[in-house]
């Protein structure tokens, strides 16, 4: 059986409100969680302001680097929603109100009894050649241009749109995760051995994450969480068992999580 290929994605978060801290991003996490079981790994995420040239540059850079790109934000009805124009510019195509998108929006607003203003019609502006992405939450569609999927910025809406994307994606090898936790384990206790193990197994990602948890009476629980990720399950098992041995050698009980 041939080995499944590695498939990658990048996420582009668009909006001044994200950069200012007024809006906390949730889209990266939910997109990554959605893609992981399909066998698509997010390799990069960028956050950019509502500036067309910056968006265009980021889109073109990311779509050349990753198999798929997901953008979130900037496709609403207001003047600062410029993502659709930026995507059109990035691909060098024309953009205008498209009949099929407008029909969807008209039907949605008719059912809700809400006036369809000229500004709301802006949400039917679609780059030439793009295919629509169903929006089951508010009606106004997203769109796919080449390997770039343009989604709304509101997490609930973006998540709904993902359901119309899965069938368009070609997945690859699924990355598995396992972990070992050690209470009172310090990173420095295993750092050198982890480095040697990483050199021995380059196909495996090994992460070290110290934690500090305050419990009752001001006492602190601390330790280190060692997380291993790979598409190679045989190597994954060998590395996790070796790390558990490192921890046990220090007199600390290794707590193995089979699904990190």
């Amino acid at each position: 059986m041939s080995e499944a290929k590695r498939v990658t994605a990048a996420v582009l978060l668009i909006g001044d409100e994200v950069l200012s801290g007024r809006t906390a991003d949730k889209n990266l996490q939910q997109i990554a969680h959605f893609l992981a079981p399909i066998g698509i790994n997010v390799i990069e995420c960028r956050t950019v302001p509502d500036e067309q040239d910056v968006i265009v540059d980021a889109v073109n850079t990311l779509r050349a680097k990753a198999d798929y790109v997901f953008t979130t934000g900037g496709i609403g009805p207001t003047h600062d929603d410029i993502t659709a124009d930026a995507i059109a510019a990035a691909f060098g195509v024309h953009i205008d109100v498209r009949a099929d998108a407008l029909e969807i929006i008209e039907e949605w607003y008719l059912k809700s009894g809400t006036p369809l203003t000229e500004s709301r019609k802006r949400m039917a502006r679609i780059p030439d050649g793009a295919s629509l992405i169903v929006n089951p939450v508010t009606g106004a569609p997203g769109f796919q241009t080449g390997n770039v999927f343009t989604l709304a910025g509101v997490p609930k809406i973006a998540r709904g749109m993902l359901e119309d994307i899965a069938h368009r994606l070609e997945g690859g090898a699924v990355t598995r995760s396992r972990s070992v936790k050690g209470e009172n384990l310090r990173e420095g206790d295993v750092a050198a051995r982890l480095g040697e193990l990483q050199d021995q197994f380059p196909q495996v990602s090994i992460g070290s994450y110290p934690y500090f948890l305050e419990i009752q009476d001001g006492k602190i629980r601390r330790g280190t969480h060692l997380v291993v990720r790979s598409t190679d399950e045989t190597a994954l098992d060998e590395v996790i068992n070796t790390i558990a041995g490192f921890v046990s050698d220090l007199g600390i009980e290794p707590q193995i999580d089979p699904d990190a």
Side-chain angles (χ1 to χ4, degrees), residues 2-256:
S2 61
E3 184 179 349
K5 68 176 182 178
R6 184 170 186 254
V7 182
T8 61
V11 177
L12 182 61
L13 310 173
I14 299 169
D16 295 336
E17 69 279 4
V18 179
L19 286 168
S20 70
R22 289 192 300 273
T23 298
D25 172 67
K26 296 181 182 178
N27 283 320
L28 170 60
Q29 182 182 48
Q30 67 179 5
I31 290 171
H33 284 178
F34 182 82
L35 295 176
I38 304 173
I40 300 175
N41 297 298
V42 175
I43 58 169
E44 185 171 343
C45 177
R46 296 190 185 188
T47 305
V48 296
D50 294 306
E51 298 178 15
Q52 181 163 315
D53 290 347
V54 177
I55 298 170
V56 169
D57 180 67
V59 167
N60 283 334
T61 299
L62 294 176
R63 71 187 179 101
K65 180 183 297 187
D67 295 300
Y68 301 109
V69 178
F70 295 80
T71 78
T72 69
I75 57 172
T78 61
H79 71 282
D80 59 341
D81 288 312
I82 61 171
T83 297
D85 295 271
I87 298 295
F91 281 85
V93 298
H94 178 69
I95 182 171
D96 204 345
V97 172
R98 211 168 79 181
D100 53 351
L102 182 60
E103 182 178 353
I104 293 170
I105 294 173
E106 286 175 336
E107 182 178 353
W108 190 273
Y109 278 95
L110 180 63
K111 287 181 179 179
S112 65
T114 305
L116 180 58
T117 61
E118 288 301 315
S119 62
R120 287 174 176 146
K121 289 181 181 179
R122 280 177 49 83
M123 295 186 290
R125 298 177 71 253
I126 306 295
D128 286 356
S131 57
L132 300 183
I133 298 172
V134 173
N135 172 1
V137 181
T138 62
F143 52 87
Q144 176 189 354
T145 316
N147 65 336
V148 179
F149 298 90
T150 300
L151 312 178
V154 177
K156 182 179 179 180
I157 303 174
R159 182 61 184 83
M161 289 179 171
L162 288 173
E163 295 303 324
D164 190 36
I165 289 176
H167 67 280
R168 313 181 192 207
L169 304 174
E170 180 182 350
V174 177
T175 299
R176 308 292 183 185
S177 297
R178 298 185 65 189
S179 71
V180 175
K181 184 188 293 183
E183 293 283 341
N184 297 314
L185 175 67
R186 295 171 296 183
E187 283 190 294
D189 294 336
V190 291
R193 298 178 79 175
L194 288 179
E196 294 171 358
L197 193 61
Q198 183 67 87
D199 290 340
Q200 185 180 351
F201 292 90
Q203 75 273 42
V204 175
S205 170
I206 304 173
S208 177
Y209 309 98
Y211 62 86
F212 303 87
L213 304 175
E214 185 173 349
I215 56 178
Q216 59 184 5
D217 301 325
K219 294 181 180 178
I220 301 292
R221 285 179 56 197
R222 65 184 66 198
T224 300
H225 200 193
L226 303 168
V227 180
V228 181
R229 303 176 72 246
S230 182
T231 59
D232 184 336
E233 294 196 52
T234 300
L236 188 67
D237 287 339
E238 186 170 351
V239 170
I240 209 73
N241 290 333
T242 302
I243 291 175
F246 293 168
V247 175
S248 184
D249 289 345
L250 294 169
I252 298 172
E253 180 68 26
Q255 302 172 40
I256 300 178

